[in-house]
Amino acid sequence: MPALHRLAGHPATRLLGLVLALFWMAVLYHLSDQPAIDAPMLFPGQDKLFHAIVYAVLGGLYLALFRPGPAGYPAQARWLALGLAVLYGISDEWHQAFVPGRDPDVLDVLADGVGAAVGILVLHGLIRRFSR
């Protein structure tokens, strides 16, 4: 079994993934708890790109909680990681409904899901590629 595959499936690596996922969830919670985030508007829809990027990280961290198989992460693990990321995105938007100056947006959840899927596919692809 190649070194990367062993490393990805090692319990210590998976524990680190859990710690990092919890930390990243706390960062996202903190950001969504702010009344407004001052970011210069560079292009239309940039907030959706930001959502996709931060949820790509979260999706990859969720996937890292699972043990990869010989051909990468099993489909069940990939779907579960995506589901967890989307559920967290939904809870994040619900939370924003109670933050002054913030509004929930279903398109943000869509961007979260797309970003998480990208992060999951990237990690899965890397593990598959370097596990051969």
Side-chain angles (χ1 to χ4, degrees):
M1 184 182 299
L4 182 61
H5 193 273
R6 276 194 313 270
L7 180 63
H10 193 279
T13 303
R14 292 169 49 215
L15 178 61
L16 177 62
L18 175 61
V19 169
L20 291 174
L22 292 172
F23 171 76
W24 196 243
M25 290 166 63
V27 167
L28 295 179
Y29 181 88
H30 174 73
L31 290 173
S32 69
D33 204 38
Q34 305 306 307
I37 297 175
D38 292 328
M41 184 57 115
L42 304 174
F43 54 89
Q46 78 180 18
D47 67 313
K48 304 304 181 251
L49 178 61
F50 293 158
H51 273 264
I53 291 169
V54 298
Y55 274 81
V57 173
L58 186 62
L61 289 171
Y62 281 158
L63 187 60
L65 299 176
F66 300 97
R67 170 168 282 178
Y73 290 94
Q76 183 179 13
R78 296 190 312 263
W79 282 111
L80 186 54
L82 179 61
L84 289 171
V86 169
L87 283 174
Y88 192 77
I90 291 168
S91 73
D92 183 49
E93 292 303 313
W94 181 73
H95 165 243
Q96 287 182 31
F98 302 99
V99 177
R102 300 296 291 264
D103 294 308
D105 184 355
V106 71
L107 293 178
D108 286 348
V109 175
L110 180 62
D112 298 342
V114 168
V118 168
I120 289 163
L121 290 174
V122 166
L123 180 58
H124 172 66
L126 287 171
I127 293 298
R128 274 184 66 150
R129 180 160 177 17
F130 293 108
S131 292
R132 296 179 188 171

